[in-house]
Amino acid sequence: GGNEINTLEDLEVLKPLKSLIQLDVFDSKIQSIENYNKKIFQMFPSLESVDNLDKEGNPIDQDDDEEEFEEDEGDDDEDDEFNDEEDDDEEEEKPPAKKVKKN
């Protein structure tokens, strides 16, 4: 926020970024331009969100990255379970208790 973007022309320097998918212009004067977000989407076809809104004006789900991270953590839990199984295997490798024969 608080950037020096005042006009749509100020965004022209970003045109070479062909894979730009998100742009936030919070707290800039460009927000005072009517339909600024639609105009920015027109300037940058690769954009998926402007100020955390998609092309239809719907809020984007910013938790996606966090959920992916949590899912990755879940994979670590599986590794922990695997490690627990290794511990179980070690216990099974102990020699069996001696049996005493009765006559």
Side-chain angles (χ1 to χ4, degrees):
N3 53 46
E4 296 296 321
I5 299 172
N6 298 314
T7 66
L8 293 171
E9 289 77 25
D10 290 339
L11 297 175
E12 293 289 331
V13 296
L14 301 177
K15 286 256 181 167
L17 303 175
K18 299 297 181 194
S19 59
L20 183 66
I21 59 170
Q22 182 174 355
L23 183 63
D24 294 323
V25 291
F26 290 118
D27 297 328
S28 67
K29 293 179 182 178
I30 200 169
Q31 286 185 308
S32 64
I33 298 171
E34 187 175 345
N35 296 318
Y36 74 94
N37 52 345
K38 290 181 182 179
K39 293 174 183 176
I40 292 173
F41 278 120
Q42 290 171 350
M43 291 175 67
F44 301 95
S46 64
L47 277 179
E48 295 176 7
S49 71
V50 174
D51 291 344
N52 296 321
L53 299 175
D54 66 15
K55 291 179 181 182
E56 287 78 37
N58 301 314
I60 59 167
D61 187 7
Q62 293 182 332
D63 294 336
D64 282 347
D65 292 338
E66 291 174 18
E67 285 175 15
E68 286 177 21
F69 180 73
E70 287 172 10
E71 286 174 13
D72 290 345
E73 285 180 359
D75 291 344
D76 290 343
D77 291 343
E78 288 175 14
D79 291 343
D80 291 344
E81 288 175 18
F82 180 73
N83 290 337
D84 290 344
E85 288 174 12
E86 285 178 359
D87 293 341
D88 292 343
D89 290 344
E90 289 174 12
E91 290 173 14
E92 290 174 13
E93 291 175 10
K94 293 178 185 174
K98 292 184 180 180
K99 295 183 180 180
V100 178
K101 273 188 169 180
K102 292 186 180 178
N103 291 344

